[in-house]
Amino acid sequence: GAPCAARGMCLAAQPSASPAQGAGVEAPSAPSLRLVNFGSKPGRAKRRAAMEAARHPRRRAKRMERPQAAAVRDWSLAEVGSAPLDKRVWGRPLMVDVVHNVVKWQLAKRRAGTASVKKYWELRRTKRKPHAQKGTGRARQGDYRGPHMRGGITMFGPRPKDWSYPLPRKMRRLGVQVALSERRREGRLLVVDSLDPPEAKTRAANDFLARVGGSKMLLIDGVLPEGAKGTGRACEHCAKGAKDADPSEAALGIHEQLERDGDVFYDASTGRWAGELPEPSPGLLMATRNVPYMSVLPPQGVNVYDVVMNDTIVVSTDALRYMQVRLTRPIKRRPSTLYGGKLGSAEEPVVDGSAEEPVVDGSAEAPVVDGSAEEPVVDEDKEAADSLSREEVEALGVVALRGELRKQGLKVSGAKAALVARLLGEPEP
């Protein structure tokens, strides 16, 4: 066998020429060496990894990774503790299409849409003919306001419009999570216990940027109200073994901690923030207002565009706590009435489609209406009741509907009146 060298490389010599060859024949050259690397053949795991990396970002496996606790540092970058990170916010895989859609939506939404050109009737210019119709040898012209004239109108030019378009809130939230996760994965996330500089000077902000490094920095700072500081995780960034550290709070997992914080921060009835929104410290705003490459945002203002455009993300512990609660709370659906507020008042209960439909017994007596009270007659073309469907009538309850219509001064007529009468067990009109 051929002698094998280290590192899995084998030296294989080609067979030499026979010594019985005749005279005058050139002697064969030195045997050439062939390098064989036995470790070059990828295994199944390597092949899978290569195939996964070659796929389109939309077709890659969307698996969340569990991030490690982030080290918490002070203004001088000395480590003072650690803060847990939720994988739903900081462990998302890279989804280029989601980030692209959210950034495109943000840029379209911020467009003013005020660009406008003058139409023919808006142009203030003389209306006389440039020259006579005949006799000059030139092409006939009407006036100076045409698009082919100097100073005339512009055809198909921009007009005021709204460039914004709706984007699902789940995709907006997912875009923020993906952008933050990618910055953490790149090692460009720094958690600081407090972003209040020692002095409100530009020199302090420049020194901090020089210590951290990077060309553009996004500072996310928000001081929680005093009522929120005393609840939930009282000292999530304190060093292990500190006096004010609560062992019961430290034993809770990140999901239980965020659930407890959400119950404290948010109002259960409305699903909104219960107190004052966190705002950046005034000293930080004063120190960074003259530094063009340092941006300051409150935690509720974190967006995909600013995260993508800045290469370093610095978050205070209060802002980190608020962001994780805000980005993991269930999305509160906006309340809506069945008829869009046309027939009922604001206090009208919302009818859920999942609720059981009311069963109307034909034997039930119809409500007795006093004939002395005349019902106001409304023009049939303007009746809002004609836009009701059968499902809507049955979902709201025909009895309540009849009383509500009479209260509003409306009258059901035509096929809808026959439908209501049939459901109430009354003779059809």
Side-chain angles (χ1 to χ4, degrees):
C4 293
R7 299 181 181 178
M9 307 298 293
C10 182
L11 305 177
Q14 295 181 354
S16 59
S18 174
Q21 292 178 349
V25 179
E26 292 184 0
S29 59
S32 60
L33 298 181
R34 179 166 51 90
L35 299 180
V36 181
N37 188 359
F38 291 104
S40 62
K41 184 178 180 180
R44 182 179 298 178
K46 293 184 179 180
R47 288 197 299 269
R48 285 182 178 178
M51 292 173 59
E52 186 72 19
R55 286 180 179 177
H56 190 271
R58 174 171 285 182
R59 297 190 176 183
R60 293 178 186 171
K62 305 292 191 300
R63 299 187 183 93
M64 289 188 294
E65 56 180 301
R66 189 178 300 276
Q68 298 180 354
V72 179
R73 305 180 183 275
D74 56 6
W75 186 263
S76 60
L77 300 186
E79 186 172 351
V80 295
S82 62
L85 301 178
D86 191 353
K87 67 177 183 179
R88 294 171 292 178
V89 181
W90 306 97
R92 293 284 184 179
L94 179 61
M95 304 178 190
V96 182
D97 53 340
V98 174
V99 177
H100 169 72
N101 289 334
V102 178
V103 170
K104 186 173 65 172
W105 169 77
Q106 281 188 245
L107 295 181
K109 191 177 179 64
R110 70 168 53 179
R111 295 186 65 171
T114 56
S116 177
V117 296
K118 291 184 180 298
K119 293 294 186 179
Y120 190 85
W121 58 87
E122 298 173 344
L123 192 62
R124 303 289 294 180
R125 202 174 185 188
T126 178
K127 299 179 181 179
R128 70 178 181 86
K129 287 176 66 70
H131 51 79
Q133 180 80 358
K134 296 179 178 295
T136 61
R138 301 175 63 183
R140 53 191 176 185
Q141 302 294 335
D143 57 9
Y144 285 99
R145 293 182 293 178
H148 60 291
M149 287 290 186
R150 181 182 179 90
I153 64 173
T154 302
M155 295 300 296
F156 308 109
R159 297 290 291 177
K161 62 176 294 186
D162 183 13
W163 290 92
S164 63
Y165 56 91
L167 192 69
R169 281 180 286 176
K170 286 186 178 180
M171 179 172 289
R172 285 183 262 166
R173 174 181 288 187
L174 182 61
V176 177
Q177 295 171 350
V178 169
L180 293 175
S181 301
E182 188 64 19
R183 284 290 178 257
R184 181 204 60 81
R185 196 176 296 110
E186 295 172 351
R188 297 178 180 179
L189 173 66
L190 177 64
V191 182
V192 184
D193 59 349
S194 176
L195 281 176
D196 193 8
E199 54 179 355
K201 298 289 185 181
T202 308
R203 178 176 61 253
N206 286 327
D207 294 343
F208 182 76
L209 178 63
R211 287 194 301 269
V212 175
S215 58
K216 298 184 68 176
M217 180 181 296
L218 176 62
L219 304 170
I220 305 174
D221 184 30
V223 180
L224 294 175
E226 295 296 334
K229 286 186 177 181
T231 56
R233 286 175 289 165
C235 188
E236 63 180 356
H237 58 273
C238 298
K240 189 175 182 179
K243 295 182 179 179
D244 51 353
D246 190 357
S248 61
E249 299 290 344
L252 291 176
I254 179 64
H255 294 282
E256 290 80 4
Q257 293 175 1
L258 294 180
E259 187 69 24
R260 177 176 298 187
D261 287 347
D263 295 339
V264 174
F265 294 160
Y266 283 84
D267 187 2
S269 60
T270 61
R272 296 183 179 274
W273 182 258
E276 297 179 359
L277 291 175
E279 295 295 337
S281 61
L284 181 64
L285 296 176
M286 289 286 291
T288 59
R289 64 179 182 177
N290 290 332
V291 185
Y293 33 81
M294 295 182 73
S295 304
V296 181
L297 284 179
Q300 66 270 17
V302 178
N303 57 87
V304 180
Y305 182 77
D306 287 326
V307 174
V308 171
M309 294 302 294
N310 293 274
D311 56 4
T312 305
I313 310 298
V314 182
V315 190
S316 65
T317 51
D318 282 353
L320 176 65
R321 181 179 173 187
Y322 177 86
M323 286 170 53
Q324 295 191 135
V325 173
R326 184 183 180 90
L327 294 176
T328 54
R329 294 284 292 180
I331 296 178
K332 185 73 173 179
R333 300 298 178 187
R334 296 186 179 92
S336 60
T337 58
L338 181 63
Y339 298 109
K342 293 182 179 180
L343 297 180
S345 59
E347 293 77 13
E348 184 175 320
V350 180
V351 179
D352 188 4
S354 62
E356 297 181 358
E357 298 181 358
V359 179
V360 180
D361 190 4
S363 61
E365 296 182 0
V368 179
V369 182
D370 188 7
S372 61
E374 296 183 358
E375 298 180 357
V377 180
V378 184
D379 188 7
E380 294 184 359
D381 297 335
K382 299 181 180 180
E383 284 183 340
D386 284 346
S387 62
L388 304 180
S389 64
R390 182 186 181 91
E391 293 77 9
E392 293 173 346
V393 173
E394 294 177 355
L396 185 62
V398 289
V399 178
L401 176 62
R402 173 64 66 85
E404 186 67 26
L405 290 175
R406 288 171 178 167
K407 186 189 302 182
Q408 296 289 335
L410 301 177
K411 183 178 179 181
V412 179
S413 61
K416 299 299 173 65
L419 172 63
V420 174
R422 193 182 312 114
L423 292 174
L424 288 175
E426 298 176 352
E428 297 185 5

Tab-separated table of all heavy atoms in Angstrom, residues 17-50:
chain	number	residue	atom	x	y	z
A	17	ALA	N	8.638	2.390	-14.902
A	17	ALA	CA	8.886	1.612	-16.123
A	17	ALA	C	9.734	0.388	-15.805
A	17	ALA	O	10.478	0.340	-14.831
A	17	ALA	CB	9.590	2.489	-17.155
A	18	SER	N	9.646	-0.650	-16.650
A	18	SER	CA	10.394	-1.904	-16.455
A	18	SER	C	11.866	-1.688	-16.780
A	18	SER	O	12.221	-1.004	-17.742
A	18	SER	CB	9.791	-2.987	-17.354
A	18	SER	OG	10.589	-4.145	-17.285
A	19	PRO	N	12.834	-2.309	-16.007
A	19	PRO	CA	14.271	-2.131	-16.306
A	19	PRO	C	14.712	-2.854	-17.554
A	19	PRO	O	15.826	-2.679	-18.016
A	19	PRO	CB	14.936	-2.710	-15.059
A	19	PRO	CG	13.940	-3.664	-14.491
A	19	PRO	CD	12.607	-3.096	-14.799
A	20	ALA	N	13.837	-3.700	-18.124
A	20	ALA	CA	14.228	-4.472	-19.296
A	20	ALA	C	14.017	-3.722	-20.595
A	20	ALA	O	14.084	-4.302	-21.662
A	20	ALA	CB	13.437	-5.785	-19.334
A	21	GLN	N	13.745	-2.438	-20.484
A	21	GLN	CA	13.540	-1.669	-21.705
A	21	GLN	C	14.874	-1.506	-22.440
A	21	GLN	O	15.955	-1.481	-21.837
A	21	GLN	CB	12.954	-0.318	-21.355
A	21	GLN	CG	11.519	-0.409	-20.812
A	21	GLN	CD	10.973	0.956	-20.432
A	21	GLN	OE1	11.752	1.906	-20.398
A	21	GLN	NE2	9.675	1.018	-20.152
A	22	GLY	N	14.824	-1.384	-23.729
A	22	GLY	CA	16.012	-1.318	-24.555
A	22	GLY	C	16.785	-0.040	-24.325
A	22	GLY	O	16.296	0.931	-23.750
A	23	ALA	N	18.056	-0.071	-24.807
A	23	ALA	CA	18.909	1.113	-24.676
A	23	ALA	C	18.404	2.186	-25.619
A	23	ALA	O	17.829	1.911	-26.667
A	23	ALA	CB	20.364	0.739	-25.001
A	24	GLY	N	18.670	3.387	-25.257
A	24	GLY	CA	18.243	4.529	-26.053
A	24	GLY	C	16.863	5.038	-25.698
A	24	GLY	O	16.460	6.080	-26.198
A	25	VAL	N	16.182	4.280	-24.892
A	25	VAL	CA	14.851	4.734	-24.469
A	25	VAL	C	15.018	5.620	-23.255
A	25	VAL	O	15.773	5.289	-22.333
A	25	VAL	CB	13.933	3.538	-24.143
A	25	VAL	CG1	12.562	4.025	-23.679
A	25	VAL	CG2	13.807	2.631	-25.357
A	26	GLU	N	14.341	6.743	-23.262
A	26	GLU	CA	14.482	7.673	-22.148
A	26	GLU	C	14.028	7.025	-20.847
A	26	GLU	O	13.055	6.296	-20.802
A	26	GLU	CB	13.638	8.938	-22.393
A	26	GLU	CG	14.138	9.789	-23.538
A	26	GLU	CD	13.334	11.054	-23.663
A	26	GLU	OE1	12.395	11.224	-22.842
A	26	GLU	OE2	13.627	11.863	-24.555
A	27	ALA	N	14.810	7.315	-19.852
A	27	ALA	CA	14.428	6.810	-18.529
A	27	ALA	C	13.198	7.567	-18.037
A	27	ALA	O	13.082	8.769	-18.241
A	27	ALA	CB	15.595	6.988	-17.546
A	28	PRO	N	12.304	6.856	-17.421
A	28	PRO	CA	11.083	7.535	-16.945
A	28	PRO	C	11.419	8.547	-15.863
A	28	PRO	O	12.382	8.395	-15.111
A	28	PRO	CB	10.230	6.390	-16.402
A	28	PRO	CG	11.201	5.319	-16.040
A	28	PRO	CD	12.324	5.415	-17.053
A	29	SER	N	10.605	9.585	-15.840
A	29	SER	CA	10.819	10.625	-14.835
A	29	SER	C	10.435	10.107	-13.458
A	29	SER	O	9.909	8.998	-13.303
A	29	SER	CB	9.984	11.866	-15.179
A	29	SER	OG	8.612	11.505	-15.237
A	30	ALA	N	10.689	10.944	-12.470
A	30	ALA	CA	10.371	10.548	-11.100
A	30	ALA	C	8.862	10.335	-10.965
A	30	ALA	O	8.072	11.006	-11.619
A	30	ALA	CB	10.827	11.634	-10.129
A	31	PRO	N	8.490	9.365	-10.165
A	31	PRO	CA	7.049	9.072	-10.025
A	31	PRO	C	6.312	10.289	-9.486
A	31	PRO	O	6.719	10.910	-8.513
A	31	PRO	CB	7.027	7.909	-9.034
A	31	PRO	CG	8.324	7.986	-8.314
A	31	PRO	CD	9.319	8.528	-9.290
A	32	SER	N	5.183	10.621	-10.158
A	32	SER	CA	4.363	11.755	-9.732
A	32	SER	C	3.490	11.336	-8.555
A	32	SER	O	3.037	10.202	-8.476
A	32	SER	CB	3.477	12.249	-10.886
A	32	SER	OG	2.631	11.201	-11.313
A	33	LEU	N	3.260	12.283	-7.651
A	33	LEU	CA	2.491	12.006	-6.445
A	33	LEU	C	1.068	12.531	-6.614
A	33	LEU	O	0.852	13.621	-7.135
A	33	LEU	CB	3.161	12.670	-5.235
A	33	LEU	CG	4.573	12.169	-4.933
A	33	LEU	CD1	5.116	12.883	-3.708
A	33	LEU	CD2	4.601	10.665	-4.720
A	34	ARG	N	0.132	11.741	-6.215
A	34	ARG	CA	-1.277	12.091	-6.308
A	34	ARG	C	-1.821	12.276	-4.892
A	34	ARG	O	-1.708	11.377	-4.047
A	34	ARG	CB	-2.038	10.983	-7.033
A	34	ARG	CG	-3.530	11.218	-7.167
A	34	ARG	CD	-4.114	10.239	-8.206
A	34	ARG	NE	-3.724	8.876	-7.915
A	34	ARG	CZ	-4.445	8.056	-7.131
A	34	ARG	NH1	-5.546	8.499	-6.580
A	34	ARG	NH2	-4.047	6.818	-6.929
A	35	LEU	N	-2.392	13.485	-4.605
A	35	LEU	CA	-2.906	13.791	-3.277
A	35	LEU	C	-4.342	13.311	-3.171
A	35	LEU	O	-5.184	13.668	-3.982
A	35	LEU	CB	-2.831	15.297	-3.001
A	35	LEU	CG	-1.424	15.907	-3.030
A	35	LEU	CD1	-1.505	17.397	-2.737
A	35	LEU	CD2	-0.521	15.221	-2.035
A	36	VAL	N	-4.606	12.493	-2.192
A	36	VAL	CA	-5.954	11.967	-1.943
A	36	VAL	C	-6.363	12.398	-0.545
A	36	VAL	O	-5.702	12.047	0.438
A	36	VAL	CB	-5.992	10.430	-2.057
A	36	VAL	CG1	-7.415	9.926	-1.804
A	36	VAL	CG2	-5.495	9.999	-3.420
A	37	ASN	N	-7.420	13.172	-0.458
A	37	ASN	CA	-7.917	13.664	0.822
A	37	ASN	C	-9.148	12.838	1.199
A	37	ASN	O	-10.208	12.972	0.612
A	37	ASN	CB	-8.283	15.149	0.721
A	37	ASN	CG	-8.618	15.739	2.077
A	37	ASN	OD1	-8.598	15.039	3.082
A	37	ASN	ND2	-8.906	17.025	2.095
A	38	PHE	N	-8.970	11.957	2.197
A	38	PHE	CA	-10.069	11.093	2.592
A	38	PHE	C	-11.124	11.844	3.412
A	38	PHE	O	-12.220	11.353	3.594
A	38	PHE	CB	-9.537	9.914	3.416
A	38	PHE	CG	-8.714	8.965	2.597
A	38	PHE	CD1	-7.343	8.950	2.699
A	38	PHE	CD2	-9.317	8.099	1.704
A	38	PHE	CE1	-6.580	8.076	1.955
A	38	PHE	CE2	-8.564	7.228	0.954
A	38	PHE	CZ	-7.187	7.212	1.071
A	39	GLY	N	-10.759	13.026	3.944
A	39	GLY	CA	-11.724	13.776	4.747
A	39	GLY	C	-12.519	14.799	3.954
A	39	GLY	O	-13.265	15.571	4.536
A	40	SER	N	-12.373	14.829	2.636
A	40	SER	CA	-13.057	15.839	1.827
A	40	SER	C	-14.504	15.477	1.524
A	40	SER	O	-15.284	16.335	1.172
A	40	SER	CB	-12.300	16.056	0.516
A	40	SER	OG	-12.294	14.838	-0.230
A	41	LYS	N	-14.858	14.190	1.619
A	41	LYS	CA	-16.209	13.792	1.285
A	41	LYS	C	-17.152	14.212	2.407
A	41	LYS	O	-17.014	13.775	3.544
A	41	LYS	CB	-16.272	12.285	1.086
A	41	LYS	CG	-17.647	11.796	0.642
A	41	LYS	CD	-17.632	10.305	0.406
A	41	LYS	CE	-19.015	9.840	-0.047
A	41	LYS	NZ	-19.035	8.382	-0.292
A	42	PRO	N	-18.116	15.069	2.128
A	42	PRO	CA	-19.001	15.531	3.215
A	42	PRO	C	-19.962	14.434	3.634
A	42	PRO	O	-20.384	13.601	2.837
A	42	PRO	CB	-19.737	16.718	2.588
A	42	PRO	CG	-19.741	16.415	1.132
A	42	PRO	CD	-18.454	15.667	0.843
A	43	GLY	N	-20.300	14.466	4.892
A	43	GLY	CA	-21.253	13.508	5.417
A	43	GLY	C	-22.672	13.977	5.202
A	43	GLY	O	-22.948	14.982	4.533
A	44	ARG	N	-23.614	13.255	5.792
A	44	ARG	CA	-25.022	13.590	5.610
A	44	ARG	C	-25.358	14.937	6.233
A	44	ARG	O	-26.089	15.741	5.651
A	44	ARG	CB	-25.887	12.497	6.218
A	44	ARG	CG	-27.375	12.725	6.049
A	44	ARG	CD	-28.177	11.604	6.641
A	44	ARG	NE	-27.887	10.343	5.972
A	44	ARG	CZ	-28.439	9.168	6.327
A	44	ARG	NH1	-29.299	9.145	7.347
A	44	ARG	NH2	-28.150	8.075	5.678
A	45	ALA	N	-24.793	15.194	7.417
A	45	ALA	CA	-25.084	16.471	8.079
A	45	ALA	C	-24.529	17.647	7.289
A	45	ALA	O	-25.174	18.696	7.172
A	45	ALA	CB	-24.516	16.461	9.493
A	46	LYS	N	-23.329	17.483	6.742
A	46	LYS	CA	-22.738	18.567	5.961
A	46	LYS	C	-23.527	18.810	4.681
A	46	LYS	O	-23.712	19.958	4.262
A	46	LYS	CB	-21.287	18.250	5.634
A	46	LYS	CG	-20.365	18.236	6.849
A	46	LYS	CD	-18.932	18.005	6.437
A	46	LYS	CE	-18.000	18.024	7.655
A	46	LYS	NZ	-16.595	17.799	7.273
A	47	ARG	N	-23.989	17.734	4.071
A	47	ARG	CA	-24.775	17.914	2.853
A	47	ARG	C	-26.090	18.631	3.156
A	47	ARG	O	-26.540	19.490	2.405
A	47	ARG	CB	-25.043	16.558	2.197
A	47	ARG	CG	-23.820	15.934	1.540
A	47	ARG	CD	-24.234	14.834	0.564
A	47	ARG	NE	-24.956	13.758	1.240
A	47	ARG	CZ	-24.393	12.672	1.753
A	47	ARG	NH1	-23.067	12.541	1.702
A	47	ARG	NH2	-25.122	11.740	2.322
A	48	ARG	N	-26.709	18.269	4.263
A	48	ARG	CA	-27.950	18.942	4.636
A	48	ARG	C	-27.718	20.412	4.928
A	48	ARG	O	-28.514	21.282	4.546
A	48	ARG	CB	-28.564	18.258	5.852
A	48	ARG	CG	-29.219	16.920	5.543
A	48	ARG	CD	-29.852	16.343	6.792
A	48	ARG	NE	-30.523	15.075	6.497
A	48	ARG	CZ	-31.129	14.331	7.424
A	48	ARG	NH1	-31.136	14.736	8.692
A	48	ARG	NH2	-31.716	13.205	7.088
A	49	ALA	N	-26.602	20.717	5.619
A	49	ALA	CA	-26.311	22.120	5.920
A	49	ALA	C	-26.058	22.915	4.644
A	49	ALA	O	-26.495	24.069	4.515
A	49	ALA	CB	-25.107	22.202	6.859
A	50	ALA	N	-25.334	22.297	3.692
A	50	ALA	CA	-25.070	22.989	2.430
A	50	ALA	C	-26.354	23.210	1.637
A	50	ALA	O	-26.572	24.277	1.043
A	50	ALA	CB	-24.072	22.188	1.592
